[in-house]
Each structure stands twice: as structure tokens, then as C-alpha cells.
Amino acid sequence: MRRKAARSAAHLFMTREELEKFALSLGGVHCGCPFRDDFTTLVMRHADSGKWFGIYMPAPVKSLIKGAGQEKAAALSDFFNGAKRAFVVCLKCQPELSAVLQQNYVGVLPAYHMNKRLWISVILGCDVDRGTVEKLITLSYDITNVRARREKERM
């Protein structure tokens, strides 16, 4: 049976501003535009180390679909409905969890423009609900939080 990606329902879609607001709520976070003359891309980073834990950016639909299996590619094609670009948030993720998420969600793919083993792309507005996106942002924040890991190792 072919999986269907959801249409942008309010509980699924997060705007750039909502992503930024949530990231900032984690504390010790700086969000900003990393590229000159690009005010769309948003990098979420730890304020103390500068280490990235997320990036919101537009991605070419062709590149997103390219690595997907046949069933997932068909569902994504239906979801994108001819669009050339889509907004994704790339987040750090353990490889085992990444595999499970990719099996269970049409809107979770190996990361666009990042290490595909350690990062995922979440297509905003697809089938990943807002609560899950927030949990994945928090997980990425925790995975990349070098200071907290060092303090934990000292104990």
C-alpha cells in the first residue's frame, strides 16, 4: 500500500519563525543567517561553542526525492505537487534512530547537503507533526552540546 504524505495541516507545519522561537527556548542558543544576502536560511547553533545543531533551508525537490525508494519517491512527488524547492530542517540524529524515522515518515530523509549518516532532513508540512519536530530539534541540540557532555563525563 502506498504511503501518502499529509497536506500542510496546522499541526504539521512550522514556519521559520516558529523553528527559531523553539530553538531559542532551549537556552544558550544563537540563531542567524550564515550566508551573505541569504535571509532565508537559518542556522541554529550553541552560543558557547558555535556548533550547529540545525539548519533550516530551501532544498531542490529533485535532490530530496533522488535517494528515496520508489514508494517514498511517489508519495513525495504527490506531496510536492510540481514544486521545485521545499523547506527542510536538517538535524543531527543517531544513525539507528535515523533509519527508524526514515521508515516511518515520508518527510524524513537522509540530510540534504550534510553527512547523510549523522544528519536527517525533515520536510516541513509533510507527515512529521510539530511535536516530533520539536523533539528532534531537542535531540540534535543534546547530541551536539559539547559543554554538557564534558560536564557529564567529569562527574
Side-chain angles (χ1 to χ4, degrees):
M1 178 178 236
R2 193 163 129 183
R3 291 189 290 184
K4 298 274 285 176
R7 288 280 171 223
S8 292
H11 73 283
L12 293 175
F13 190 74
M14 288 183 81
T15 65
R16 179 187 187 279
E17 291 75 22
E18 290 170 328
L19 285 168
E20 182 174 11
K21 184 178 178 181
F22 180 78
L24 291 170
S25 77
L26 298 173
V29 171
H30 172 75
C31 294
C33 301
F35 311 115
R36 183 189 310 204
D37 299 327
D38 174 0
F39 303 104
T40 302
T41 301
L42 176 75
V43 169
M44 297 167 267
R45 64 177 84 215
H46 295 275
D48 58 353
S49 67
K51 191 165 182 75
W52 292 18
F53 64 89
I55 182 168
Y56 167 85
M57 64 183 158
V61 167
K62 272 187 175 179
S63 296
L64 294 173
I65 292 177
K66 188 167 76 172
Q70 189 174 4
E71 183 179 329
K72 194 171 202 173
L76 286 169
S77 292
D78 288 347
F79 174 74
F80 291 129
N81 194 28
K84 300 286 185 218
R85 299 182 83 62
F87 284 97
V88 298
V89 61
C90 296
L91 302 164
K92 192 119 187 211
C93 185
Q94 297 102 335
E96 301 81 18
L97 178 58
S98 173
V100 171
L101 291 167
Q102 289 179 57
Q103 288 174 350
N104 290 308
Y105 292 101
V106 172
V108 177
L109 302 162
Y112 170 71
H113 239 315
M114 306 291 274
N115 180 322
K116 293 175 181 358
R117 193 174 82 70
L118 300 174
W119 290 76
I120 57 172
S121 283
V122 178
I123 301 167
L124 298 173
C126 197
D127 62 339
V128 184
D129 65 87
R130 178 185 300 258
T132 301
V133 173
E134 290 175 351
K135 287 176 187 172
L136 292 171
I137 292 169
T138 303
L139 176 65
S140 184
Y141 172 88
D142 290 342
I143 290 170
T144 57
N145 194 347
V146 176
R147 174 176 275 173
R149 270 202 317 263
R150 284 186 189 144
E151 288 175 8
K152 193 174 181 180
E153 288 169 0
R154 287 184 197 144
M155 295 178 151

